[in-house]
Amino acid sequence: MNLDDMKVLIIAFICIYLSTFPVYSAEDKLKESDKLLALANMYGYARYFYPNQEVKNWDWYKFLAYAQDELKECSGTEEDLKKCLTTIFSPIIPELTFEDPENRVIIAPKYPFYVWRHKGIGKVPMGDFYNSEIISCVSFNPDQPIPDSLYCFPLKTGLNVYMPIATSYKHENNPKLKDLNKKIEKYKFSLFDNSTFTVLLKKLFQKNYKPTLGFLKDEKYLTADMIVKWNLIKHFYPYFQEDSLENQWESILIDKFAEINTNYKDVKSYYLTVCNLFSYLKDSHVVIYPSIDLGGSIGTYIDTFYPDLKIGFVNDTIYIEKVPEQYKDLLSIGDVITQVNGIPIDSLVYLKSKLISSSSKQALYERLCHQGELFKCFLKDSTINITVKGTSKEKEFAVQTNRNYYYYKDNRNPDFFKELDTGIYYINTTIKGKDAGYTQFKKHLSEFQQAKGLIIDIRGYPRYDTDSILTHFSSNPIAWGDFRLPIYYYPNQQSVVYEKEDDSFLQPAKEQIPVPVSFLIDSKAISYAETIIEIIKKNRLGTLIGQPTMGTNGDLSNIYLPVFGFKMTVMKDFSGYHGKGIEPDILVVPTLNDIRNGKDLILEKTINIIKQ
């Protein structure tokens, strides 16, 4: 990423957030955004909550493109908008109305009835842990909507729709729906510009050629894709209210429509728009896949590149964690990064934060430093000029984006088991391989039982057998955290049913270790790592020493989409750590001097505590 590339990135952000030259006049833009917002909301209700079996496998991207064309015929008055939405959606939802009926609730519902049931959303690599299906019900469950009753849902300010979300009849052989489907199937997208033909020719004549860039061209397709992503988050992201999205989500969508309309240049600019959409989620599980699969042989991806540079952080300070071989005479561990390509580091961090979903401040810096986001670039072998300040004057050096993946390995303590001092033993749960883990732990049980104290390191991502180690520190059953699977029958996160698994406990091991035990934690802990730390805290198995964790837990899911699919948290953690992280019992924050001197302050303080 050279200076020109960085300037382009900054200009793109300025355009996104401060654009004052929209295509439409202020009056027309408001009308257009109102129409698209109403369409987006109406699509979500029809697609995910109205139980019409005949449209389950529709091409909803084509449907949304068709709907956008129909909306263009709408003059913009509210009455015209109602008529237009009725034309578009009534073949799918025959009962749809915009007038408030006198009697919305059916007193004597019929059985069986049909309703959408979403147990989470998306897919996991193995099994059907999450599933969405239209189910048939032979009796009424108070958690479910009343069949054939009309529910009121908002489309935009001042406009509501009335429709059932459970019906006593099965939809089939609807001629209006068949006619609509024919129109949708005939729709053709203009997805690529002429440069794509060059890519396809290369693919034909060059063996194993993989195109690295495609140019999405059809604005209606991009708008449809944004509507799909926006609805998935709105209805199924379990922390929607906790992340304060409820009161701003519609205005965010309107901003995204404007960006697509005014600032779109190529597929990379749309990728940044999608990244910005997800940055509003406080979910460090979020990953946006930079790939496009439009069916058949048409597919592409966006390459990303990283420099071979290892950086770390203390509070808001980013420093050099490992000095590149070619700069050993210039740099030192602990040198603080002050500028990147002439941009102050605080400004760059702010710009990058608008492209990253992070659950907390510490989680943001983890993604910037230890997951490579600070220097991620679209161009190979770009030059990044970095200014650092050591103990004296500022220095400059340059690195190249020569890697197509980011690899970070914490080599702080390479040993799984070690005696640090007489009777004080260290166990590193993040070590992989056959010489680590619970099997090796058990070989030293007699030593542990006679120890002065144990130090168990969970800084990072522990092995999946770490919970077995915990069973040796309690004579009582050990309770897990409070995780629940959301089940959705209603849109807009209303009346969500949270299914809690039967209380499961880790049974105590026969060989107990009755000595003081300290657990080292830091901000690398996410997901299963936080589950382990939560178990320790909840069951008081020992002392947590170090720094707060990321604040992202609950199982995640893959959402497969033609353009930039993603994964996000789907299971909900009710323990109250979302967006905050788990606080240690004893907070230890290393200083830059500790880092420069090669000190592991958290470990050293823990040893001193045990000795005392």
Side-chain angles (χ1 to χ4, degrees):
M1 185 183 297
N2 55 33
L3 181 58
D4 289 338
D5 293 329
M6 189 63 71
K7 287 179 179 177
V8 169
L9 180 62
I10 293 172
I11 291 170
F13 274 110
I14 293 172
C15 289
I16 289 172
Y17 294 103
L18 302 176
S19 175
T20 57
F21 301 97
V23 172
Y24 305 109
S25 68
E27 183 181 359
D28 287 337
K29 183 179 177 184
L30 177 63
K31 291 178 182 178
E32 189 69 19
S33 64
D34 274 352
K35 291 190 288 184
L36 286 175
L37 177 60
L39 171 63
N41 276 311
M42 193 66 239
Y43 156 79
Y45 305 143
R47 166 68 180 86
Y48 297 110
F49 296 98
Y50 184 76
N52 190 334
Q53 298 271 7
E54 290 191 282
V55 301
K56 278 180 67 175
N57 299 317
W58 269 23
D59 187 328
W60 288 97
Y61 279 70
K62 286 186 176 182
F63 171 83
L64 285 168
Y66 155 80
Q68 290 174 67
D69 282 343
E70 292 294 306
L71 280 178
K72 286 185 178 179
E73 302 301 318
C74 171
S75 66
T77 67
E78 193 163 283
E79 287 305 312
D80 283 341
L81 179 59
K82 290 177 184 178
K83 291 176 183 178
C84 189
L85 291 174
T86 301
T87 300
I88 296 168
F89 286 96
S90 61
I92 301 172
I93 310 171
E95 304 91 341
L96 181 150
T97 179
F98 292 97
E99 306 303 322
D100 191 351
E102 291 185 8
N103 299 309
R104 287 198 229 153
V105 180
I106 301 296
I107 304 300
K110 300 176 182 178
Y111 302 98
F113 67 90
Y114 302 90
V115 64
W116 269 105
R117 182 186 65 188
H118 301 278
K119 299 182 78 171
I121 197 72
K123 299 290 182 183
V124 291
M126 298 178 65
D128 57 353
F129 189 71
Y130 306 119
N131 60 74
S132 297
E133 57 183 342
I134 297 174
I135 60 172
S136 174
C137 305
V138 294
S139 61
F140 182 67
N141 180 334
D143 294 327
Q144 297 169 340
I146 300 171
D148 300 323
S149 298
L150 298 182
Y151 289 83
C152 176
F153 301 118
L155 295 183
K156 71 174 191 66
T157 302
L159 179 62
N160 298 321
V161 66
Y162 302 88
M163 55 178 279
I165 49 176
T167 62
S168 61
Y169 67 97
K170 200 169 187 177
H171 296 75
E172 50 191 0
N173 299 321
N174 181 340
K176 289 185 178 179
L177 194 62
K178 289 181 179 179
D179 290 341
L180 176 59
N181 192 29
K182 287 179 182 177
K183 293 178 184 177
I184 294 168
E185 288 301 314
K186 289 179 181 178
Y187 193 91
K188 301 294 182 183
F189 287 113
S190 176
L191 290 176
F192 295 94
D193 66 13
N194 290 333
S195 63
T196 305
F197 289 110
T198 305
V199 171
L200 294 177
L201 285 172
K202 286 183 178 180
K203 188 174 181 181
L204 286 172
F205 293 104
Q206 184 177 337
K207 192 174 181 181
N208 298 325
Y209 178 81
K210 292 183 178 180
T212 57
L213 188 62
F215 295 85
L216 287 171
K217 188 181 177 185
D218 197 309
E219 183 182 321
K220 290 191 289 294
Y221 191 94
L222 298 178
T223 300
D225 182 67
M226 185 57 63
I227 288 172
V228 170
K229 288 179 169 66
W230 182 84
N231 270 283
L232 285 164
I233 297 168
K234 175 189 176 186
H235 296 297
F236 304 112
Y237 174 55
Y239 299 107
F240 192 78
Q241 278 90 12
E242 287 86 344
D243 289 0
S244 303
L245 297 175
E246 201 169 14
N247 296 325
Q248 59 175 331
W249 201 234
E250 291 189 349
S251 63
I252 290 170
L253 179 63
I254 291 171
D255 288 343
K256 300 304 123 193
F257 289 152
E259 289 170 32
I260 291 169
N261 180 260
T262 60
N263 300 321
Y264 177 76
K265 295 180 181 64
D266 57 28
V267 70
K268 288 185 288 188
S269 67
Y270 181 63
Y271 176 73
L272 292 175
T273 297
V274 172
C275 289
N276 178 250
L277 175 75
F278 281 89
S279 73
Y280 290 92
L281 280 62
K282 295 179 180 177
D283 182 10
S284 293
H285 272 152
V286 166
V287 173
I288 301 160
Y289 300 118
S291 58
I292 299 172
D293 182 4
L294 300 175
S297 60
I298 302 178
T300 187
Y301 58 91
I302 299 175
D303 268 332
T304 52
F305 300 95
Y306 308 84
D308 189 8
L309 183 66
K310 194 172 179 182
I311 58 176
F313 69 96
V314 174
N315 293 326
D316 297 345
T317 302
I318 298 176
Y319 63 87
I320 303 296
E321 192 169 290
K322 184 179 179 182
V323 176
E325 188 69 30
Q326 66 269 36
Y327 295 110
K328 284 196 171 179
D329 295 334
L330 177 67
L331 304 177
S332 300
I333 291 174
D335 284 353
V336 175
I337 297 176
T338 59
Q339 293 186 66
V340 177
N341 287 343
I343 300 173
I345 188 65
D346 291 345
S347 300
L348 182 59
V349 167
Y350 174 76
L351 289 173
K352 288 287 186 175
S353 73
K354 299 302 179 184
L355 301 172
I356 297 171
S357 176
S358 55
S359 50
S360 57
K361 184 178 180 181
Q362 62 268 27
L364 171 63
Y365 277 85
E366 280 291 338
R367 297 200 73 164
L368 290 171
C369 297
H370 298 152
Q371 296 179 27
E373 291 288 343
L374 186 68
F375 296 132
K376 185 168 80 171
C377 177
F378 293 136
L379 295 176
K380 192 176 190 304
D381 296 326
S382 289
T383 299
I384 301 177
N385 296 301
I386 300 173
T387 305
V388 298
K389 183 173 176 53
T391 54
S392 55
K393 61 180 181 179
E394 285 193 333
K395 296 163 280 187
E396 291 186 5
F397 69 105
V399 292
Q400 304 293 318
T401 56
N402 52 12
R403 303 169 65 106
N404 61 4
Y405 66 94
Y406 187 78
Y407 178 71
Y408 178 91
K409 185 177 182 181
D410 190 344
N411 294 319
R412 183 168 36 214
N413 290 296
D415 301 310
F416 170 71
F417 166 78
K418 191 174 183 179
E419 187 173 9
L420 299 176
D421 204 317
T422 305
I424 299 177
Y425 296 98
Y426 169 87
I427 300 101
N428 189 347
T429 64
T430 66
I431 296 292
K432 306 298 187 287
K434 63 180 181 180
D435 295 326
Y438 183 57
T439 302
Q440 295 298 318
F441 177 86
K442 288 194 296 183
K443 293 179 180 179
H444 301 279
L445 282 176
S446 59
E447 295 168 82
F448 296 155
Q449 289 169 332
Q450 304 301 318
K452 291 179 184 177
L454 297 184
I455 299 173
I456 299 181
D457 201 337
I458 316 179
R459 291 177 292 177
Y461 203 87
R463 296 168 57 101
Y464 284 112
D465 56 2
T466 300
D467 53 333
S468 298
I469 292 175
L470 302 183
T471 63
H472 292 272
F473 303 113
S474 175
S475 57
N476 298 314
I478 299 172
W480 290 83
D482 187 3
F483 299 100
R484 306 180 197 179
L485 175 65
I487 300 176
Y488 305 93
Y489 297 105
Y490 294 83
N492 301 323
Q493 306 268 348
Q494 295 175 9
S495 304
V496 182
V497 178
Y498 291 99
E499 185 179 82
K500 187 177 181 181
E501 294 182 0
D502 295 335
D503 287 336
S504 55
F505 295 89
L506 295 169
Q507 294 305 315
K510 292 180 181 179
E511 304 90 348
Q512 288 293 296
I513 303 175
V515 303
V517 57
S518 300
F519 297 90
L520 311 186
I521 66 171
D522 67 6
S523 55
K524 292 184 185 68
I526 183 174
S527 200
Y528 174 71
E530 285 192 295
T531 296
I532 291 296
I533 294 167
E534 187 177 339
I535 289 172
I536 295 165
K537 195 172 189 77
K538 185 173 184 176
N539 296 276
R540 300 181 180 180
L541 302 183
T543 304
L544 297 174
I545 302 176
Q547 296 170 282
T549 62
M550 272 201 202
T552 294
N553 208 350
D555 287 340
L556 54 83
S557 174
N558 287 291
I559 314 293
Y560 298 108
L561 296 174
V563 177
F564 306 143
F566 60 93
K567 61 182 179 181
M568 70 177 184
T569 301
V570 173
M571 182 84 78
K572 190 168 185 177
D573 181 6
F574 277 79
S575 301
Y577 299 121
H578 171 75
K580 304 171 187 173
I582 303 171
E583 294 284 341
D585 300 312
I586 300 174
L587 177 67
V588 180
V589 181
T591 66
L592 279 173
N593 282 333
D594 295 321
I595 291 158
R596 287 167 178 155
N597 294 321
K599 293 178 64 175
D600 186 343
L601 187 66
I602 295 174
L603 181 58
E604 289 185 15
K605 285 211 170 186
T606 305
I607 293 171
N608 290 333
I609 290 168
I610 293 174
K611 285 182 176 180
Q612 293 167 7

